[in-house]
Amino acid sequence: MDANRNPARPSEVIGHYAWASVAQAEEALGAARAALPGWAASNPQTRSDVLRRVGDELNARAEELGALLTREEGKTLREGVGEVRRSAQIFHYAAGEPLRQGGEALPGLRDGTTAMVSREPVGVVVLITPWNFPMAVPAWKTAYALAFGNTVVLKPSEVTPACAWELADILHRAGLPAGAFNLVVGDGRTLGPALVDGADAVSFTGSPGVGRAILERSVARMTRVQLELGGKNPLVVHDDADLELAVDIALQGAFHSTGQRCTATSRIIVDRRVHDAFVERLVTRIAALRVGDPMDAATDMGPVVSEAQLAKDLHCIADARSEGAELAFGGGRMDGDGYFLEPTLFVGTDNAMRINRDEVFGPVACVIPADGLDHAIAIANDSDHALSSGIVTRGLASAETFRRRSRAGLVMVNAPTAGIDYHVPFGGRGPSGYGGREQGSAAVEFFTEGKTAYINHGIAG
Ligand SMILES: NC(=O)C1=CN([C@@H]2O[C@H](COP(=O)(O)OP(=O)(O)OC[C@H]3O[C@@H](n4cnc5c(N)ncnc54)[C@H](OP(=O)(O)O)[C@@H]3O)[C@@H](O)[C@H]2O)C=CC1
Ligand SMILES: O=C(O)CCC(=O)C(=O)O
């Protein structure tokens, strides 16, 4: 049993959530396994109806659940409510999948035969999710897993169990048969190995270190695995950019959701010809950000999620200063009990510095000067991460050059690196992602197995 606390006011306990033992995690896997044949064979309309009802309830309760999300994670109320609505949209979109699922029938190459290609559920799917999108990430993994007939064991972050609990409750009341969805709250290091060992597929979002451990364990058992890991996402400001727009995009990408997004902008690569004008405008806008109680409608940025994450952010900031990065704004913890950190901007940095190599996962961004588009693209691509990237430019040619040459899995033109749509594939390349994309048309690849059948019906022609 552990206390779930409000990061804006850590003395406020949101609830106590029982932590599962390894034996209970195994029981959940057993329940998912027992429910699998029934759910896998269920009528597509049944699956669609359940998912639609989940979306309906999320929508109807968006304000209430958004407030809960804000209290446990710390993003602003606008962002919290927005995340619940987005989760509703995901369930509504996924509700169409069981009805859309098709296959292929081709004439076989031997007379009197037909080749049929179809898809089946993978089986028991374990979903391991982080704290930064405590409703949307569980939603987008769960909705597609169930849509394609799999049964689920969800292990949310120990930091944000409340949203996952609400989602489990809604799924239960939406008519899902017992055992089709199981929630296991608790410590990832303790429960992780048993969960991975009992899964037919594992979908994980979180840190690269944990992702690698899950990958190694899954590969040893030849279990299907999908990892959505970190980013060090570059935003290029080209010399022809509309600077107001560029500042807006940088601000949103770096500081919305307190910078706690794998897609957050952390390296702002600015052409030297517009560097000083851009930095001056950006610092003015950062200074105007209202950091404080995320429940207050006037607040632009809430607290960091936890004391441990705040300590990590402050450590990264101190490290950047010791490397010679110049602080242009922020850098310190704010007064009070909450885990509030000033939005922080470094200038005079280069891409070799640790602050530009390792993910911070907080409201910290660095400006790196560049000499022209080729140089800017080379800097953008020189990273151990390749999740999201962006360019601000008025030119079609520079936009298209960037789109083609960026190594990232997501490319944004005149839009923030963070903030994705739910109906298109999402994911990174290289160490930022493994095992295929999530969402949209990509989800079917991970959550189903293919089958090719040869039917000899003896009727030639
Ligand atoms: N790419 C992204 O979207 C995210 C990246 N991060 C990065 O990760 C850092 C640490 O954040 P944190 O929440 O601790 O991220 P983790 O990667 O540690 O946690 C993500 C999920 O994995 C679980 N987990 C932890 N250890 C194991 C294990 N050995 N086997 C299986 N599951 C495990 C966690 O459980 P438990 O909560 O119990 O530890 C949680 O549910 C952040 O500072 C940030 O850099 C964090 C969140 C999201
Ligand atoms: O940018 C977004 O909308 C999604 C980000 C995300 O998936 C994450 O941070 O885990």
Side-chain angles (χ1 to χ4, degrees):
M1 183 83 75
D2 208 31
N4 181 15
R5 292 176 185 277
N6 181 344
R9 223 171 283 110
S11 57
E12 180 189 321
V13 174
I14 295 159
H16 292 271
Y17 291 82
W19 279 24
S21 62
V22 170
Q24 285 169 320
E26 285 168 347
E27 207 179 310
L29 288 162
R33 181 103 19 230
L36 182 61
W39 184 246
S42 62
N43 189 299
Q45 189 64 55
T46 305
R47 276 179 274 147
S48 180
D49 288 347
V50 168
L51 297 174
R52 188 177 33 75
R53 282 196 286 270
V54 174
D56 290 348
E57 181 164 346
L58 285 169
N59 249 341
R61 296 174 56 200
E63 300 289 331
E64 171 214 337
L65 295 175
L68 178 70
L69 195 164
T70 289
R71 282 173 63 225
E72 81 164 348
E73 199 271 349
K75 61 183 66 174
T76 64
L77 187 58
R78 194 175 347 103
E79 291 168 333
V81 173
E83 182 173 336
V84 176
R85 290 206 190 284
R86 169 173 164 182
S87 306
Q89 288 163 336
I90 290 165
F91 273 97
H92 282 155
Y93 182 85
E97 293 291 11
L99 307 170
R100 278 192 288 267
Q101 218 184 333
E104 288 177 278
L106 291 85
L109 300 183
R110 281 155 282 184
D111 287 347
T113 66
T114 299
M116 288 175 63
V117 185
S118 59
R119 288 184 178 275
E120 296 177 355
V122 181
V124 173
V125 179
V126 165
L127 311 176
I128 302 178
T129 57
W131 43 261
N132 62 325
F133 280 90
M135 189 66 91
V137 177
W140 78 53
K141 292 185 193 292
T142 300
Y144 287 102
L146 292 174
F148 294 119
N150 303 281
T151 55
V152 169
V153 178
L154 169 66
K155 201 321 258 162
S157 166
E158 65 186 67
V159 180
T160 52
C163 285
W165 198 93
E166 291 295 341
L167 187 60
D169 184 45
I170 292 170
L171 279 157
H172 178 67
R173 276 183 292 97
L176 206 59
F181 175 88
N182 305 272
L183 177 67
V184 174
V185 174
D187 172 39
R189 272 167 307 177
T190 309
L191 304 176
L195 289 173
V196 170
D197 289 354
D200 296 315
V202 181
S203 180
F204 169 82
T205 299
S207 62
V210 173
R212 183 172 287 277
I214 290 174
L215 175 64
E216 285 168 2
R217 202 166 181 106
S218 304
V219 166
R221 302 176 63 86
M222 298 177 81
T223 300
R224 185 178 291 206
V225 62
Q226 174 181 60
L227 309 173
E228 205 276 286
L229 306 172
K232 198 68 205 168
N233 309 297
L235 176 72
V236 169
V237 180
H238 193 38
D239 64 357
D240 67 354
D242 171 340
L243 287 193
E244 274 312 307
L245 180 68
V247 166
D248 228 46
I249 285 172
L251 203 74
Q252 282 187 47
F255 303 116
H256 280 196
S257 303
T258 320
Q260 298 177 144
R261 294 190 281 190
C262 56
T263 46
T265 302
S266 55
R267 296 181 294 142
I268 310 174
I269 302 164
V270 187
D271 192 289
R272 273 188 212 280
R273 283 165 284 206
V274 293
H275 177 276
D276 292 356
F278 171 83
V279 168
E280 193 186 322
R281 287 179 201 217
L282 182 58
V283 169
T284 305
R285 290 284 302 280
I286 296 173
L289 285 176
R290 287 157 300 196
V291 183
D293 181 0
M295 298 296 278
D296 182 339
T299 296
D300 296 309
M301 195 179 98
V304 167
V305 73
S306 65
E307 196 162 14
Q309 186 65 45
L310 178 63
K312 180 186 172 195
D313 295 353
L314 288 168
H315 173 80
C316 292
I317 290 168
D319 195 41
R321 295 180 82 166
S322 73
E323 287 185 292
E326 285 168 48
L327 203 51
F329 194 87
R333 181 176 183 167
M334 297 173 71
D335 291 342
D337 295 339
Y339 308 131
F340 290 99
L341 180 63
E342 292 175 301
T344 298
L345 185 73
F346 284 106
V347 293
T349 74
D350 69 56
N351 203 44
M353 290 177 172
R354 275 187 304 277
I355 190 70
N356 283 321
R357 309 301 304 181
D358 302 332
E359 187 175 47
V360 178
F361 224 68
V364 180
C366 295
V367 176
I368 307 171
D371 298 304
L373 187 60
D374 285 345
H375 187 213
I377 294 174
I379 296 170
N381 284 342
D382 175 16
S383 177
D384 297 333
H385 303 271
L387 179 53
S388 185
S389 69
I391 185 167
V392 190
T393 178
R394 286 191 173 97
L396 184 58
S398 40
E400 182 55 10
T401 301
F402 185 79
R403 189 191 68 79
R404 286 187 197 199
R405 285 171 47 192
S406 171
R407 278 179 54 231
L410 306 167
V411 178
M412 312 291 188
V413 174
N414 294 323
T417 57
I420 55 161
D421 289 352
Y422 62 84
H423 68 309
V424 286
F426 166 61
R429 294 183 179 175
S432 287
Y434 182 92
R437 298 288 192 268
E438 298 194 81
Q439 304 195 74
S441 57
V444 68
E445 298 291 340
F446 184 76
F447 287 115
T448 62
E449 286 275 14
K451 179 177 277 178
T452 306
Y454 293 82
I455 320 284
N456 182 352
H457 41 67
I459 306 164

